[in-house]
Amino acid sequence: MTHHIELPPLPYAQDALAPVISAETMSFHYGKHHKAYVDNLNKLVAGTELADAPLEKVIAAVAGKADKVGIFNNAAQTWNHTFFWNSLKPGGGGAPSGAMATAIDASFGGLENFRKELSNAAMTQFGSGWAWLVAEQGKLRVAKTGNAETPLTSGATPILTIDVWEHAYYLDYQNRRADFVAAVIDKLLNWEFASANLARAG
Ligand code: FE
C-alpha cells in the first residue's frame, strides 16, 4: 500500500528538547502516537476519493461529518502533531520580536498576560486536547480544543500550539501538567515559527 501522507521528520533530534521533553517521551509521542495517526489515516482513506488529497483538504472534507469521524481524528491529529513539533525548538521560549512582539502587545497587553492566558487554556482544557495561539481577523487570541479538534476548521490561522494530551507529558511530569506547560512556554516555544505563521495570516 502506498502512503500518500508521510510522517514528516522531526525538525530536531529526538533528544534535543530534553530535559523539558525527554527523548523517551519523544520516542513514544512522535515515534508511536504521531506515526500511528499517519498510518491509520492512510489506511482509512486508501481506495476512497480522499486517497490522493493533501492533508488539509482531507481535514476540511470530513470535518463535522459524523460518519467520517475516524478519518477526521487521524487527519487532524496528524496535522496538529506536525504543527506542535514545529511550535517548539531547543533553546526556545523567551520573548518574541518584531511584528510578533507588536501583535502580542496589541492583543494581550503584554507578553506576561499572553503567557497567563495560554497557560490557563492549557490547564483548563479538561482531558485530552490542545492549547493554541491563533490569528483571526487581524488579532491574536488564545484558544483550546478537545481531542483532535483543530482551529483550522474554524477559519482561524494557527500560530503556536501545545499538546496537553497526557501522552505529551506523563512520562516526564506524571500528573503535573502545569509544570510541563510552564517549561514548554518558557524554554521551548519557537517564536520564529510563530512569526512566519503570523506573516502568512496577513
Ligand atoms: Fe500528542
Side-chain angles (χ1 to χ4, degrees):
M1 190 184 84
T2 57
H3 271 200
H4 93 277
I5 289 165
E6 305 278 349
L7 178 68
L10 276 177
Y12 31 71
Q14 204 159 263
D15 62 358
L17 304 182
V20 178
I21 300 175
S22 68
E24 189 190 18
T25 288
M26 291 302 293
S27 77
F28 282 95
H29 198 177
Y30 169 74
K32 305 287 187 199
H33 292 277
H34 193 182
K35 181 177 187 298
Y37 295 128
V38 175
D39 290 346
N40 288 335
L41 174 61
N42 279 295
K43 279 183 202 139
L44 288 166
V45 299
T48 76
E49 72 280 8
L50 295 172
D52 299 312
L55 183 56
E56 288 82 357
K57 288 256 165 64
V58 174
I59 293 170
V62 301
K65 294 186 177 163
D67 59 332
K68 299 277 173 32
V69 70
I71 295 176
F72 176 81
N73 285 340
N74 286 285
Q77 285 294 79
T78 294
W79 192 94
N80 289 348
H81 279 88
T82 300
F83 195 83
F84 177 50
W85 308 136
N86 285 303
S87 293
L88 312 179
K89 68 166 197 175
S97 58
M100 192 71 224
T102 306
I104 290 278
D105 286 344
S107 299
F108 298 100
L111 184 62
E112 189 50 34
N113 286 343
F114 159 70
R115 190 189 177 288
K116 279 187 197 142
E117 275 201 42
L118 183 62
S119 154
N120 186 52
M123 289 309 297
T124 57
Q125 172 51 43
F126 185 77
S128 297
W130 302 81
W132 303 84
L133 175 63
V134 301
E136 200 165 29
Q137 293 165 349
K139 275 201 93 176
L140 295 176
R141 65 178 171 86
V142 162
K144 56 185 177 178
T145 60
N147 297 314
E149 293 295 328
T150 174
L152 282 181
T153 56
S154 69
T157 302
I159 304 292
L160 288 172
T161 195
I162 303 177
D163 186 343
V164 294
W165 283 57
E166 281 187 350
H167 67 222
Y169 58 87
Y170 221 82
L171 289 174
D172 298 328
Y173 298 84
Q174 295 76 50
N175 60 326
R176 302 187 311 278
R177 187 191 285 192
D179 292 352
F180 165 72
V181 168
V184 166
I185 292 175
D186 294 340
K187 296 173 181 167
L188 296 182
L189 281 188
N190 185 342
W191 285 113
E192 289 78 24
F193 178 65
S195 295
N197 292 327
L198 182 65
R200 267 195 293 277

